Amino acid sequence: MDAVREVWAAVTTTQARPATGVVLVAAALAAALVVVGGVWPVTRRLVTIAHEGAHGVAALVSGRRLSGIRLHSDSSGLTVSRGPRTGPGMVLTLAAGYPGPALIGLGAAWLLSRGYAVAVLWVLLLAMALLLLQIRNFYGLWLLVATGVPLFLVSWYATGQTQSTVAYVITWFLLLAAVRPPWELQSERRRGGARGSDADQLAGLTRVPGVVWVGLFLAVNAACLALGASWLLAA
């Protein structure tokens, strides 16, 4: 109980916001994790965690039954839910994946703008713990543990300044990284691939072309980036 009270106190206590220079360095580091060719194939797996988690949350919110989530080493994933194969619930479940990382990043940016850096870390840890209950393959289990353990160590043992910096890097990463997958998806679609993608499944359900769905994903993610950046850079 003492540990729970200690965590709750840390989560509900505001921290001093870092200097603008620190925020900009965090943004630059996050951008490197997205644009550097040899790094992105690894860091993209973190986006997949958020992507599949968003599918799972949307399935539950829409009244579907979540059957399990798989995370694969090629940075793809699969969320299986039970319920009607058509209708608003299925549309919401499919549509939630690509905007998921951006929306999580936007929520984290809102918390940071109010000084709750430690809360960002613990909320992410809680979300990953809940996601862990739905993982149905060994690689997905390993990926969540390999991601969650360092995050826990920072949340529990690091200094307040380090925790704040890490929270900013993660938030910038989610906002920036969310813009890249829709571009990659459309590039693959132009080459004749990704025919089972979220966008193409949504096109089959709604008769709205897949390219429109990709454009919608990109627009939502870009809007989240713009708004989140304004919050993170505010004095």
Side-chain angles (χ1 to χ4, degrees), residues 42 45-54 68-73 78-79 104 123-153:
V42 177
R45 294 165 186 170
L46 305 180
V47 180
T48 302
I49 294 174
H51 180 113
E52 299 303 329
I69 295 174
R70 292 176 176 269
L71 304 171
H72 303 137
S73 59
L78 176 66
T79 299
I104 296 171
V123 167
L124 290 175
L125 271 173
L126 176 60
M128 293 177 64
L130 294 174
L131 183 61
L132 191 64
L133 299 176
Q134 295 295 331
I135 292 297
R136 296 295 183 267
N137 67 323
F138 179 78
Y139 181 81
L141 175 65
W142 177 88
L143 180 60
L144 279 179
V145 171
T147 305
V149 168
L151 185 58
F152 169 76
L153 294 176

Side-chain angles (χ1 to χ4, degrees), residues 62 64 84-94 202 205-206:
S62 62
R64 301 179 62 83
R85 296 185 178 181
T86 59
M90 190 62 190
V91 171
L92 177 62
T93 299
L94 287 170
L202 285 165
L205 288 171
T206 64

Side-chain angles (χ1 to χ4, degrees), residues 50-69:
H51 180 113
E52 299 303 329
H55 278 315
V57 171
L60 294 174
V61 168
S62 62
R64 301 179 62 83
R65 294 180 58 189
L66 188 58
S67 299
I69 295 174

Side-chain angles (χ1 to χ4, degrees), residues 18-231:
T20 301
V22 175
V23 177
L24 292 176
V25 169
L29 177 58
L33 297 177
V34 176
V35 301
V36 174
V39 175
W40 175 242
V42 177
T43 58
R44 196 186 194 285
R45 294 165 186 170
L46 305 180
V47 180
T48 302
I49 294 174
H51 180 113
E52 299 303 329
H55 278 315
V57 171
L60 294 174
V61 168
S62 62
R64 301 179 62 83
R65 294 180 58 189
L66 188 58
S67 299
I69 295 174
R70 292 176 176 269
L71 304 171
H72 303 137
S73 59
D74 62 354
S75 77
S76 65
L78 176 66
T79 299
V80 179
S81 61
R82 296 181 181 179
R85 296 185 178 181
T86 59
M90 190 62 190
V91 171
L92 177 62
T93 299
L94 287 170
Y98 279 95
L103 292 172
I104 296 171
L106 186 63
W110 183 84
L111 286 172
L112 289 175
S113 71
R114 282 150 179 79
Y116 292 102
V118 176
V120 169
L121 302 179
W122 282 104
V123 167
L124 290 175
L125 271 173
L126 176 60
M128 293 177 64
L130 294 174
L131 183 61
L132 191 64
L133 299 176
Q134 295 295 331
I135 292 297
R136 296 295 183 267
N137 67 323
F138 179 78
Y139 181 81
L141 175 65
W142 177 88
L143 180 60
L144 279 179
V145 171
T147 305
V149 168
L151 185 58
F152 169 76
L153 294 176
V154 170
S155 303
W156 190 258
Y157 293 108
T159 64
Q161 183 177 2
T162 299
Q163 291 171 336
S164 181
T165 301
V166 170
Y168 271 85
V169 171
I170 292 173
T171 301
W172 275 116
F173 173 76
L174 289 169
L175 291 170
L176 292 166
V179 178
R180 184 164 177 173
W183 284 109
E184 294 178 337
L185 172 60
Q186 187 56 28
S187 296
E188 190 172 353
R189 293 180 74 253
R190 282 199 298 267
R191 295 193 298 267
R195 291 309 176 190
S197 70
D198 295 346
D200 291 286
Q201 291 184 66
L202 285 165
L205 288 171
T206 64
R207 298 186 181 179
V208 175
V211 66
V212 175
W213 283 105
V214 175
L216 180 60
F217 297 154
L218 185 58
V220 170
N221 294 356
C224 288
L225 172 58
L227 181 56
S230 70
W231 288 341

